[in-house]
Amino acid sequence: MKIEKLNDNKIRITLNLTDLEENHIDFHTFMSNSIESQKIFLDMLDKAEREVGFVTDDYRVMIEALAMSDGNFVLTVTRFEAEKSNTTYKKRKVNIKRKVNEIDNKKAIYCFNTFDEYCSFCNFLNNNILKYMNDFADSMSLFEYNSKYYLVISNIHINTNLLKTFCSSITEFARFIEDANLFENKLLEYGNLIMKDNAINTCINHFC
């Protein structure tokens, strides 16, 4: 991990592949706003305070995260006086603003703008949590409709510990569809079934 002080109110933190592996994180894990990702970021701020005197107590901070093509992260951290800030970050409560739709029934549908975006999501699962996916839902099917791709997840195991992780991860790639039961009827009538039941593994085996 490399920490550079750009000015009195801004630092750059660079993490290489070794740093990521040691902390068991990647871009989506960091952006998930989980307890683990908050702890990692707070540890970075503490290290920045010790090494370059970048104090964030009583400040709000804005984070700009960039994933490089070589697998490294570059995080630019800017601090603001609390009364002047319109950001969503605090030192002791990191809150990366993002919308996560909680699944409260046994069916959910997500819309991917392109097939490549769907493949990217499947590849992410393959690299992170795929081994647990059999415990998540009984069926995952992929439909094409109006040049977009819809993942229909049926018989979700609501009580699984994987549910929050899955919801946080997929929002990086797809949009949550309201009223899943009604929209599924539209897909069954007008859409094209691309992959049935085991769409995640099918995509990984053939396209990732």
Side-chain angles (χ1 to χ4, degrees):
M1 183 187 303
K2 180 181 179 182
I3 300 176
E4 304 169 84
K5 189 172 184 179
L6 304 180
N7 57 46
D8 287 344
N9 293 309
K10 183 176 293 187
I11 60 171
R12 179 189 297 126
I13 303 174
T14 304
L15 299 94
N16 58 31
L17 292 174
T18 301
D19 296 322
L20 302 183
E21 292 172 357
E22 288 177 350
N23 288 283
H24 306 291
I25 59 172
D26 56 22
F27 182 77
H28 301 287
T29 302
F30 179 79
M31 291 298 291
S32 69
N33 201 27
S34 64
I35 294 175
E36 293 78 8
S37 63
Q38 290 190 28
K39 181 180 184 303
I40 291 166
F41 180 71
L42 293 175
D43 288 344
M44 292 178 190
L45 288 184
D46 289 338
K47 186 177 178 66
E49 182 173 337
R50 293 193 304 269
E51 292 190 2
V52 298
F54 189 74
V55 178
T56 53
D57 286 323
D58 300 323
Y59 286 86
R60 290 176 179 264
V61 297
M62 179 180 69
I63 313 159
E64 298 172 271
L66 177 64
M68 309 299 290
S69 59
D70 58 4
N72 292 352
F73 280 171
V74 175
L75 307 176
T76 302
V77 183
T78 306
R79 71 180 186 181
F80 299 87
E81 295 287 349
E83 65 273 16
K84 297 179 181 179
S85 174
N86 59 357
T87 61
T88 57
Y89 303 92
K90 294 182 180 179
K91 181 180 179 183
R92 294 305 165 193
K93 186 178 179 182
V94 181
N95 181 21
I96 300 176
K97 191 175 183 180
R98 54 181 289 173
K99 182 179 180 181
V100 177
N101 295 90
E102 295 292 345
I103 298 174
D104 57 5
N105 55 47
K106 291 194 174 184
K107 187 183 296 293
I109 300 177
Y110 288 90
C111 173
F112 296 83
N113 289 325
T114 66
F115 185 70
D116 285 343
E117 288 185 0
Y118 175 69
C119 290
S120 294
F121 174 63
C122 292
N123 191 52
F124 167 76
L125 292 182
N126 189 35
N127 292 331
N128 292 274
I129 59 174
L130 179 66
K131 62 183 178 180
Y132 303 109
M133 291 307 297
N134 289 337
D135 298 327
F136 179 65
D138 292 343
S139 174
M140 293 188 180
S141 298
L142 186 71
F143 289 80
E144 185 272 332
Y145 173 65
N146 282 350
S147 300
K148 296 185 183 297
Y149 294 83
Y150 296 86
L151 182 65
V152 179
I153 310 170
S154 303
N155 296 322
I156 300 169
H157 305 160
I158 298 296
N159 295 325
T160 178
N161 293 329
L162 185 62
L163 182 60
K164 185 174 182 179
T165 300
F166 181 88
C167 292
S168 298
S169 301
I170 198 170
T171 52
E172 290 294 326
F173 303 89
R175 174 173 55 88
F176 182 77
I177 300 297
E178 302 288 347
D179 200 343
N181 290 319
L182 180 63
F183 197 83
E184 184 185 26
N185 291 333
K186 180 181 292 187
L187 292 176
L188 291 172
E189 185 173 357
Y190 300 108
N192 298 313
L193 179 61
I194 306 297
M195 301 176 189
K196 184 179 180 180
D197 294 335
N198 201 6
I200 299 293
N201 283 326
T202 300
C203 179
I204 290 171
N205 292 334
H206 295 281
F207 298 98
C208 295

